[in-house]
């Protein structure tokens, strides 16, 4: 080989070396960026979640807690089994521009306009959702306040005043007081979060059996099947004057229909194979979520979700707490006995 050929060969080797170095640095940079992005996404989603330490606030004066045993699993972290009761509240929040734009109003504070006790059977393959009418008259127990002291016992109080006077802690204590059922977890989502979740899922399909015309919730639908966006779905969840007798009981039926429709919509998405969609849905959920401290991290929410992977919409039963018109007020209801007590007994 001549000197000129040797020089050309050295140049080619040098160019290949530089190309390999550049490719290696690019790959390393991409990996670092990917890890950093994933780390930031996890931190962001985790920090979205707000929590309340309900267990510490209520102490031991509560119904007995169901025993939860780990399932036989080859995974490092066994998926929990056993029955589970979760109080889910829909918060009529007045805070933030998004909530106000969606109908939260101009006043401060919030109301629990939707209250559901979600009972998940042992094995996590069936669930019962019990709606508690917001207009139910109850004996509201004394509740501890975060500022110190406690609220007074209130007789013939509307159920949703518990949240108004004492927040999540009082909502949980009141539900446990009237049901005798231990709430293992607490989940609250506000106006904006619900609308964002529906939009992130691409909308939700529902079928109404009658025309709905409610100027208060700005919802006007002909009976039939409709694909709703987040704002429309929220209006459906809030409407009461445009259906039935205009009471909260008619609204509960719509809310239960929406829950099952959302479960169906979620099941149509394979979120694990679509990281962008998974992030969008998770961000929508966590951004407006308040939980107890047992569910206040992304890993704990994921663990709960994994334990429910065999739960389909068809395996979810929705009912309303048995009730009758209150003798003291035709616009309020009270628990119908013994049917209500029998229902709660079945969830213990």
């Amino acid at each position: 080989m001549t000197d000129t050929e040797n020089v050309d060969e050295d140049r080619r080797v040098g160019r290949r070396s530089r190309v390999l170095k550049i490719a290696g640095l690019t790959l390393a940079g991409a990996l670092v960026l990917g890890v950093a992005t994933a780390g930031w996404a996890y931190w962001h989603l985790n920090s979205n979640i707000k929590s309340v330490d309900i267990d510490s606030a209520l102490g031991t004066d509560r119904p007995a807690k169901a025993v939860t045993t780990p399932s036989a699993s080859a995974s490092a972290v066994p998926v929990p089994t056993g029955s589970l009761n979760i109080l889910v509240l829909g918060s009529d929040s007045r805070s933030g521009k998004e909530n106000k734009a969606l109908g939260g109003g101009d006043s401060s504070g919030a109301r629990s306009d939707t209250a559901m006790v979600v009972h998940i059977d042992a094995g996590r393959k069936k669930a019962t959702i019990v709606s508690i009418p917001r207009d139910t008259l109850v004996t509201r127990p004394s509740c501890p306040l975060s500022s110190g002291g406690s609220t007074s016992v209130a007789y013939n109080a509307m159920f949703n005043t518990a949240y108004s006077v004492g927040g999540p802690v009082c909502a949980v204590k009141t539900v446990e007081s009237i049901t005798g059922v231990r709430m293992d977890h607490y989940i609250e989502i506000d106006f904006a979060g619900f609308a964002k979740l529906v939009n992130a899922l691409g909308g939700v399909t529902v079928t109404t059996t009658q025309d709905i015309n409610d100027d208060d919730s700005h919802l006007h639908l002909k009976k039939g099947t409709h694909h709703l966006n987040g704002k429309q779905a929220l209006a459906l969840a809030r409407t009461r004057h445009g259906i039935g007798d205009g009471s909260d009981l008619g609204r509960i039926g719509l809310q239960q229909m929406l829950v099952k429709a959302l479960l169906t919509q979620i099941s149509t998405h394979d979120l694990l194979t679509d990281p962008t969609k998974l992030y969008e849905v998770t961000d929508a959920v966590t951004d407006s979520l308040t939980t107890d401290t047992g569910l206040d991290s992304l890993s704990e929410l994921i663990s709960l979700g994994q334990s429910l992977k065999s739960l389909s919409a068809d395996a979810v039963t929705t009912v309303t707490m048995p009730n009758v018109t209150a003798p003291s007020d035709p616009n309020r209801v009270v628990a119908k006995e013994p049917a209500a007590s029998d229902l709660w007994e079945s969830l213990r």
Side-chain angles (χ1 to χ4, degrees):
M1 184 178 291
T2 66
D3 290 342
T4 300
E5 290 174 331
N6 285 332
V7 170
D8 291 340
E9 179 64 20
D10 289 342
R11 286 175 178 172
R12 284 194 293 271
V13 171
R15 282 196 297 270
R16 283 198 300 270
S17 179
R18 286 194 298 274
V19 169
L20 290 173
K21 285 181 179 180
I22 292 172
L25 289 172
T26 301
L27 178 59
L31 289 173
V32 170
L33 181 61
V35 170
T37 301
W40 176 87
Y42 185 91
W43 172 86
H44 171 72
L45 295 173
N46 213 49
S47 63
N48 274 348
I49 306 167
K50 300 175 286 292
S51 67
V52 178
D53 192 350
I54 291 173
D55 286 343
S56 294
L58 295 184
T60 58
D61 186 20
R62 305 177 66 185
K65 189 172 185 177
V67 177
T68 299
T69 56
S71 63
S73 173
S75 62
V77 182
V79 175
T81 60
S83 63
L84 201 63
N85 292 298
I86 305 172
L87 176 60
V88 178
L89 293 188
S91 169
D92 180 5
S93 177
R94 264 62 174 168
S95 62
K97 292 181 180 180
E98 288 177 296
N99 283 317
K100 289 181 179 180
L102 290 168
D106 297 323
S107 60
S108 60
R111 299 171 299 185
S112 56
D113 273 4
T114 302
M116 296 178 175
V117 174
V118 179
H119 173 79
I120 302 165
D121 289 356
R124 310 289 173 91
K125 293 183 178 180
K126 294 191 297 181
T128 302
I129 299 177
V130 185
S131 295
I132 303 176
R134 53 165 284 182
D135 295 336
T136 304
L137 296 182
V138 301
T139 296
R140 192 182 68 224
S142 174
C143 300
L145 297 172
S146 58
S147 58
S150 59
T151 65
S152 299
V153 176
Y155 301 95
N156 289 318
M158 274 181 59
F159 168 74
N160 73 337
T161 62
Y163 184 91
S164 299
V165 302
V169 170
C170 197
V172 170
K173 185 164 186 179
T174 300
V175 169
E176 291 185 344
S177 175
I178 66 177
T179 67
V181 179
R182 170 74 172 241
M183 295 297 109
D184 300 294
H185 291 298
Y186 171 84
I187 296 176
E188 174 191 333
I189 188 165
D190 67 18
F191 273 5
F194 179 79
K196 283 182 179 177
L197 172 60
V198 173
N199 285 333
L201 290 169
V204 61
T205 301
V206 299
T207 300
T208 60
T209 57
Q210 64 183 84
D211 295 347
I212 299 175
N213 291 290
D214 189 347
D215 291 333
D216 289 342
S217 66
H218 309 292
L219 183 67
H220 300 277
L221 290 177
K222 294 292 184 182
K223 68 176 181 180
T225 300
H226 305 273
H227 191 73
L228 308 180
N229 61 26
K231 187 173 183 179
Q232 292 170 320
L234 178 61
L236 184 65
R238 297 182 64 223
T239 195
R240 60 187 292 183
H241 301 297
I243 190 169
D245 61 1
S247 72
D248 191 45
L249 300 179
R251 173 165 58 184
I252 284 175
L254 295 177
Q255 292 171 349
Q256 292 174 342
M257 176 182 67
L258 265 174
V259 168
K260 298 198 76 169
L262 276 173
L263 289 174
T264 300
Q265 184 71 1
I266 290 171
S267 69
T268 64
H269 291 279
D270 188 359
L271 297 178
L272 294 180
T273 63
D274 189 345
T276 301
K277 176 62 69 175
L278 175 62
Y279 177 83
E280 185 181 359
V281 170
T282 308
D283 189 38
V285 171
T286 59
D287 189 41
S288 300
L289 200 68
T290 300
T291 71
D292 66 284
T293 49
L295 287 178
D296 63 352
S297 71
L298 201 56
S299 60
E300 288 163 334
L301 288 172
I302 289 172
S303 177
L304 174 62
Q306 288 177 332
S307 76
L308 302 178
K309 63 184 179 181
S310 297
L311 181 64
S312 67
D314 291 337
V316 176
T317 301
T318 56
V319 297
T320 301
M321 182 192 76
N323 62 86
V324 294
T325 302
S328 61
D329 188 339
N331 296 313
R332 303 287 180 261
V333 299
V334 294
K336 180 181 180 180
E337 297 297 354
S341 292
D342 290 343
L343 173 61
W344 300 128
E345 177 65 29
S346 71
L347 305 187
R348 296 191 184 111

